[in-house]
Amino acid sequence: MAADALPRTRLYIDQPLGEGGVAALDGDRAHYLRAVLRQGPGDGVLAFNGRDGEYLARIETLSKSNGTLRLEQQTRAPAADAPPAPWLLFAPLKGGRTEYVVEKAVELGVGRLVPVYTRRGDVTRVNLDRLRANALEAAEQCERLDAPDIADGIDLQKLLSSWEPGRTLFVAAESGDAQPLVTAVTAAAGKPVAFLVGPEGGFDRQELDALRRLPFVVSVGLGPRVLRADTAAFSALAVWQAAGGDWRCGGGDARPPNRV
């Protein structure tokens, strides 16, 4: 099928996908297709699960609480030889900005998002179900073939004590010695990395001292201007994708804008 004839609607389906197979729709997705998009049996959608690529599917049955999709053909294969996706560790923010961080980080290709509780953080708990729903919606809209993991919130000290040393942890530093971000991420191109961004008030001095003593931590500077926490996260991820991540792989598999 020509790319410009593919449906607009994309759904993350956490089930095996293959040509000729059937995938079940849960209540939320059935409601979304039926009541929000006004779709019904025979309408097409694109289904993906993070493992099997993307498939053209047709709605076979649809009710208020469930439904089924008939999988017709693969439209995109799983990405081959893609560099490891970066992780984002971030202090939750007030006023809906945590959801905004999740949405944009998904668009920027993160593989895992971890809310981290720090001494100066203003938010001490997050709604994980809402964040996971936001992440899935962002993955569907930005045409990813996977959806990132949203980890449970964790205290910074506990996070560091259980860290796998094979993954470099870049810490956005507000002060002190730090490598330029571009220099640091270029040296780590193609390797497993994570970025840690603190709260609006910055890290506590004891937290910074503890971070700098760890062999897997690299402090990076984000330039001469003071950035808000969400801006710092997006800046770090964008530089990583350009210098060490999947923006180096060319134009990707973007869809034309006139899909039906």
Side-chain angles (χ1 to χ4, degrees), residues 7-71:
R8 290 183 179 274
T9 304
R10 300 182 77 244
L11 291 179
Y12 178 82
I13 305 291
D14 191 14
Q15 300 169 47
L17 303 178
E19 292 186 7
V22 176
L25 295 169
D26 60 22
D28 288 342
R29 281 165 175 72
H31 172 79
Y32 175 67
L33 290 174
R34 183 175 180 273
V36 179
L37 298 183
R38 304 295 183 184
Q39 293 190 322
D43 288 330
V45 302
L46 295 172
F48 67 103
N49 64 1
R51 303 180 298 275
D52 301 321
E54 178 188 80
Y55 280 80
L56 173 65
R58 298 285 172 188
I59 299 172
E60 194 166 66
T61 64
L62 191 63
S63 70
K64 291 182 179 180
S65 58
N66 57 55
T68 55
L69 297 177
R70 175 68 64 177
L71 302 167

Side-chain angles (χ1 to χ4, degrees), residues 1 6-7 19 45-47 53-57 73-77 145 253 255:
M1 176 177 290
L6 293 174
E19 292 186 7
V45 302
L46 295 172
E54 178 188 80
Y55 280 80
L56 173 65
Q73 66 185 71
Q74 189 180 67
T75 54
R76 282 194 292 169
L145 291 177
D253 191 18
R255 308 283 193 194

Side-chain angles (χ1 to χ4, degrees), residues 87-143:
W87 294 3
L88 177 63
L89 289 55
F90 65 100
L93 303 171
K94 288 182 176 180
R97 288 168 61 212
T98 293
E99 290 83 356
Y100 183 67
V101 167
V102 168
E103 176 186 313
K104 298 308 173 187
V106 171
E107 293 179 18
L108 287 165
V110 298
R112 183 177 176 86
L113 286 136
V114 185
V116 178
Y117 303 124
T118 63
R119 293 189 179 187
R120 293 181 179 174
D122 295 323
V123 180
T124 58
R125 58 183 300 185
V126 294
N127 185 331
L128 288 173
D129 288 340
R130 181 168 179 174
L131 295 187
R132 287 166 180 154
N134 289 345
L136 287 181
E137 183 177 352
E140 291 167 350
Q141 292 180 350
C142 74
E143 303 200 349

